Amino acid sequence: VQSLKSHRFFLSLQSSRMAATVMSRLGMGSLSRAGIGRLSLFAHQQLRTPAPHSRLLSSSSLSYKMIGDPLHRVPALATPPGPKGGLVVLQEWWGINDQVKKTATDMAVATGCRVIVPDLFRSKQAYEAAEAQHLLEGLDWEGALHDVNASALHLRSEGCDKVAVMGFCMGGALALGAANLLPDVDAAVCFYGWNKGLSDVSRMSVPVQCHFGNKDDIPGFSDKAAADELKGLLEGSGCMLEFYQYLELGHGFMNGTEWGKEMNAKLGRPPIRDDCIADATSRSVDFLRKHILS
């Protein structure tokens, strides 16, 4: 992809400071230079009216496969084929855990889309924030975008007319970048994550839906000030935009599994509310049906 190849993805000094702030907020101290050079974070959910063909899906319905071309192979999990729409779901910095698998199958059930989850960390998982930091520091951000591109192309090769990317935290920032830089991505759903150094969102041309919590405390990445700035830039781009800000919610508010809620409390964030997860999920499903399945 010409736009991807021509972009070097080196983060700005502003993004470097933001990455250090993220880690500081999580109580992990300063990042190494390599870690600061690669910002990221993602997670989620519940469902709505099931699509007829996918009512029996569960996380056990996800199948492992290798996708991509011979020069860039990507391990991934995928649901059975849907009608005509595709969705790439991106992991949080924890790796592909039960939360991500639940997200993938829930969205497949709710929309009928074929969902694919590229394994950005190549089978590695973290269970504590310090472990997740280590994985994040080793992430090749440009390579992650290539993984997203391979996922979108794979979905199209299986008959999907349109493809969206949904991401949370790290994945949210990556979803915005993919939507802005990859021609095979037709829409994006971003949850609480924006990397200012990744791409110029004022040039966004595809439909975007964003979700941020007003009590998010990660400055420059997902706090209210960053969300307000992102909203203004996306509105200026002229793209079709839905932007939701939740008054009482903090970072990671879509982590609805038992482990997700326990980790949320451990990190000192506002309580996760199942009703807000349901509202945000319903909005996401409606958005995907409108822009990917119509």
Side-chain angles (χ1 to χ4, degrees):
V1 177
Q2 185 174 0
S3 60
L4 181 57
K5 290 179 179 178
S6 64
H7 193 83
R8 300 304 303 164
F9 303 109
F10 290 116
L11 299 180
S12 63
L13 177 61
Q14 181 181 29
S15 294
S16 299
R17 289 171 176 165
M18 176 179 66
T21 302
V22 170
M23 297 306 168
S24 176
R25 288 285 181 174
L26 293 179
M28 293 181 288
S30 60
L31 278 171
S32 66
R33 288 178 62 89
I36 288 177
R38 299 176 178 89
L39 178 65
S40 302
L41 292 93
F42 164 108
H44 152 331
Q45 123 193 44
Q46 205 157 11
L47 52 149
R48 246 182 49 127
T49 306
H53 82 288
S54 54
R55 286 176 181 161
L56 298 180
L57 280 180
S58 67
S59 58
S60 63
S61 303
L62 294 168
S63 61
Y64 176 85
K65 59 174 55 189
M66 293 294 293
I67 63 173
D69 59 51
L71 297 179
H72 188 85
R73 303 295 286 166
V74 182
L77 295 175
T79 62
K84 60 177 181 177
L87 177 64
V88 182
V89 172
L90 301 177
Q91 67 190 58
E92 197 175 5
W93 68 339
W94 306 108
I96 295 185
N97 56 13
D98 288 344
Q99 181 70 60
V100 181
K101 294 175 183 178
K102 183 179 188 304
T103 298
T105 51
D106 283 356
M107 293 308 297
V109 169
T111 64
C113 286
R114 177 164 174 77
V115 179
I116 195 164
V117 186
D119 186 356
L120 304 180
F121 288 162
R122 301 303 192 262
S123 299
K124 297 182 178 69
Q125 287 191 46
Y127 300 94
E128 297 293 340
E131 295 175 306
Q133 179 194 4
H134 178 72
L135 293 178
L136 177 60
E137 289 174 357
L139 178 67
D140 175 2
W141 191 272
E142 183 176 358
L145 282 173
H146 279 288
D147 289 354
V148 177
N149 189 57
S151 300
L153 291 174
H154 179 79
L155 288 169
R156 289 190 181 276
S157 74
E158 295 201 331
C160 295
D161 295 337
K162 295 180 180 179
V163 175
V165 179
M166 169 181 279
F168 304 76
C169 197
M170 170 189 93
L174 186 58
L176 288 174
N180 207 21
L181 296 169
L182 304 179
D184 283 294
V185 173
D186 300 291
V189 179
C190 164
F191 281 84
Y192 37 80
W194 174 36
N195 181 347
K196 297 180 183 180
L198 184 58
S199 72
D200 181 4
V201 295
S202 70
R203 302 171 69 92
M204 187 72 69
S205 61
V206 302
V208 173
Q209 185 184 78
C210 293
H211 303 260
F212 286 80
N214 281 1
K215 291 190 175 181
D216 195 313
D217 64 350
I218 304 181
F221 182 75
S222 52
D223 67 336
K224 187 177 185 304
D228 289 342
E229 182 182 357
L230 173 62
K231 181 180 179 182
L233 291 172
L234 288 172
E235 287 176 339
S237 74
C239 73
M240 298 184 68
L241 177 66
E242 296 179 19
F243 206 103
Y244 300 100
Q245 292 171 279
Y246 302 83
L247 296 178
E248 301 300 321
L249 299 183
H251 196 77
F253 63 80
M254 294 297 284
N255 288 308
T257 62
E258 181 179 356
W259 180 87
K261 290 179 178 180
E262 290 175 355
M263 180 57 66
N264 181 77
K266 186 175 182 178
L267 294 174
R269 296 169 178 167
I272 289 174
R273 292 174 45 182
D274 291 338
D275 60 327
C276 293
I277 292 178
D279 287 344
T281 299
S282 176
R283 288 165 172 166
S284 299
V285 169
D286 288 343
F287 177 85
L288 292 170
R289 285 176 173 168
K290 178 179 179 180
H291 296 291
I292 302 301
L293 295 175
S294 61

